[in-house]
Amino acid sequence: MTADDSFNRLDDDDYPAYTMGRAADMLGTTQGFLRALGEARLITPLRSEGGHRRYSRYQLRIAARARELVDQGTPIEAACRIIILEDQLEEAQRINAEYRRAADSANPTAAA
């Protein structure tokens, strides 16, 4: 991978661009909190060749949501479950919207 390839990947939400220390700093939390999210299987950081945890922007958004819930007094295990359920709901709503669009385009007179 060239330097240009690495630079272009920074726009990729799933590219593991952030070290654990940098991710913790960005979230205003501890590295232990990020480890706990990994142990709860909410996020699974990728590992560098040296075995260090690396996080993507998508994973940081999930971790930020978990921190928000924990800061409100939700136990970390419950926060992780809430986030998983929110994600499942969002996916189900997206699929429903796709089905509606497909049904409407297959039967345009019914949509009117």
Side-chain angles (χ1 to χ4, degrees):
M1 182 180 292
T2 67
D4 284 339
D5 291 338
S6 294
F7 182 75
N8 291 334
R9 302 259 346 242
L10 292 177
D11 287 338
D12 183 351
D13 246 11
D14 295 317
Y15 181 67
Y18 304 98
T19 63
M20 176 180 269
R22 178 71 178 126
D25 287 345
M26 290 171 69
L27 295 171
T29 190
T30 65
Q31 293 181 16
F33 179 77
L34 291 173
R35 278 189 214 94
L37 296 180
E39 289 168 10
R41 295 187 177 163
L42 180 62
I43 55 176
T44 303
L46 284 118
R47 298 283 183 150
S48 68
E49 289 181 18
H52 300 282
R53 291 173 179 89
R54 307 279 301 188
Y55 297 88
S56 68
R57 287 188 301 196
Y58 174 74
Q59 290 172 323
L60 293 183
R61 282 196 302 274
I62 292 172
R65 175 69 176 131
R67 175 156 188 238
E68 178 183 312
L69 290 168
V70 169
D71 287 350
Q72 293 172 1
T74 307
I76 194 164
E77 298 82 12
C80 292
R81 184 67 182 140
I82 288 167
I83 293 166
I84 290 167
L85 290 170
E86 287 173 343
D87 188 54
Q88 290 172 345
L89 175 61
E90 184 178 318
E91 178 68 7
Q93 289 172 331
R94 184 190 62 75
I95 291 168
N96 277 341
E98 285 179 17
Y99 285 146
R100 281 191 203 110
R101 280 191 297 276
D104 289 347
S105 66
N107 191 5
T109 57

